Amino acid sequence: AEYMGVDYTKESISDVLDASSVDIAYDTVTSPEDTNYEPECWKVLKPAKEGGRYVQINTAKGARWAAMTLRDKVGINFLGAGVDLFFADTNRATLERLTAWLESGTVKPLQAHVRPFAEGSCVAAFEALQSRRTVGKQVLEMVAGA
């Protein structure tokens, strides 16, 4: 499978990709303040009946979670065919596996910024996270003896 990321702040995915050329779109920009990218994604996704999937990651939109809960309980997808929500489940086994991958170097986290653990740096890191436009982790370094 080929991975392709598109910088949605600079171009539309439908200007870069052909119609029905994408199997799955993972939308990580799903907050009430952000643009709804689902209609744009469906311009390039295969139709749901052919396996096209649109997946929102950790959406803050409560109504969508309610709809997915109903889907799981009564079997009707109120969000439409091909639409799913994904919520990261953090449990001990998963965290231990991730820790092993990090320690072995199998997984290398992308660091956007490494800053000293100080008030101004903490504020800057939080603002970067809050912008929902940062790529990579905001790291705050503890300095020995500080």
Side-chain angles (χ1 to χ4, degrees):
E2 180 183 346
Y3 165 79
M4 179 176 188
V6 176
D7 184 346
Y8 62 89
T9 64
K10 296 181 179 157
E11 56 196 349
S12 168
I13 61 172
S14 60
D15 292 338
V16 177
L17 303 170
D18 295 330
S20 299
S21 65
V22 175
D23 296 315
I24 188 166
Y26 292 103
D27 185 354
T28 61
V29 184
T30 56
S31 73
E33 304 85 37
D34 287 312
T35 303
N36 179 4
Y37 294 100
E38 183 178 353
E40 185 67 17
C41 288
W42 280 110
K43 291 179 183 178
V44 299
L45 280 165
K46 290 180 179 175
K49 65 183 176 190
E50 296 175 22
R53 309 295 296 170
Y54 170 77
V55 181
Q56 284 187 322
I57 313 274
N58 291 341
T59 182
K61 298 174 182 171
R64 294 185 77 84
W65 284 112
M68 289 309 287
T69 300
L70 284 172
R71 179 200 70 178
D72 294 344
K73 299 292 183 197
V74 299
I76 300 170
N77 189 346
F78 295 96
L79 297 176
V83 177
D84 283 306
L85 300 180
F86 176 81
F87 185 74
D89 178 23
T90 54
N91 58 58
R92 184 179 181 104
T94 300
L95 294 175
E96 286 175 347
R97 188 173 331 132
L98 286 173
T99 299
W101 289 343
L102 289 165
E103 289 174 345
S104 70
T106 303
V107 173
K108 295 179 178 136
L110 177 62
Q111 296 179 355
H113 297 283
V114 178
R115 309 168 199 264
F117 186 71
E119 184 177 352
S121 298
C122 290
V123 170
F126 181 75
E127 287 172 348
L129 290 173
Q130 198 172 27
S131 77
R132 299 179 58 95
R133 301 294 182 263
T134 188
V135 176
K137 301 298 177 189
Q138 301 292 317
V139 178
L140 297 169
E141 272 187 328
M142 302 296 286
V143 179

